[in-house]
Amino acid sequence: ENGQTDKKEMECTEEELFRRYERKALQGDSFHQCKVGECYFYGRGVEIDYKKAVKFFLMATEQGDSDGQYLLGKCYFMGRGVPGFRVDYRKSIKLFDMSAKQGNINATCWLGICNYNGHGVDYNKDVAIEAFHKCAVGGHSAGTSWFLEVGRSQPILLNELKNKKLSEAKEHSTVSIF
């Protein structure tokens, strides 16, 4: 149940879905706290309210939820709903890092973006390429695009990615040549 979308949730309106998420979020469920935050952030079933989005992302973050950390990091990166509505790259980096250490591939991609562009950290192309490579190997589409753009000068890493993709294709292939 925790972190799962059931059939009933798929058959209701955005407003009904928001109310269900909110009920579970207020009971302390970090997955649903993130969902409520996303509803407020994107205006799904409720009016857009970045401050309320941050409130719910923070609730999840305080429980160590990697999605909450990642989403709160994005709010600081964009300056939406955070104190003073100011961009704070250093806070976003800290949150992305916490989330990435728990395996959140989205946060890993954002760490790469921050390192590549020098947002909140000194510009570090090598760290960025490493993050984008990890995303590409993990199947993250944006991370793959970044890696192919930024990491194209890294033939060893490109070959590793190519070999992984070929291996996956062979594993999923049902065609036999015999």
Side-chain angles (χ1 to χ4, degrees), residues 14-138:
E14 284 188 337
E15 291 82 8
E16 292 169 328
L17 191 56
F18 169 78
R19 286 193 295 279
R20 289 180 187 190
Y21 287 166
E22 185 179 43
R23 194 168 36 256
K24 292 176 182 178
L26 293 173
Q27 293 172 357
D29 182 318
S30 66
F31 172 82
H32 288 94
Q33 289 165 344
C34 290
K35 288 294 182 190
V36 169
E38 288 177 322
C39 288
Y40 278 119
F41 194 88
Y42 296 109
R44 295 183 187 139
V46 292
E47 292 292 318
I48 290 175
D49 187 327
Y50 297 126
K51 281 187 175 184
K52 287 184 181 177
V54 165
K55 173 186 168 186
F56 281 92
F57 295 151
L58 183 58
M59 290 166 71
T61 294
E62 288 172 345
Q63 294 186 64
D65 186 281
S66 70
D67 287 327
Q69 293 161 348
Y70 158 69
L71 293 164
L72 185 59
K74 278 181 60 177
C75 290
Y76 276 104
F77 187 89
M78 295 183 277
R80 293 202 174 148
V82 296
F85 290 91
R86 292 190 184 143
V87 170
D88 189 333
Y89 294 135
R90 292 203 187 277
K91 280 190 181 177
S92 66
I93 285 280
K94 181 181 176 185
L95 290 158
F96 292 152
D97 187 56
M98 289 167 50
S99 180
K101 284 179 179 172
Q102 293 185 64
N104 189 308
I105 200 82
N106 293 314
T108 301
C109 185
W110 277 88
L111 279 174
I113 292 167
C114 290
N115 276 280
Y116 186 70
N117 292 299
H119 294 310
V121 292
D122 291 335
Y123 166 82
N124 190 328
K125 185 176 179 181
D126 293 334
V127 170
I129 288 172
E130 183 180 319
F132 296 143
H133 179 254
K134 186 174 187 175
C135 292
V137 169

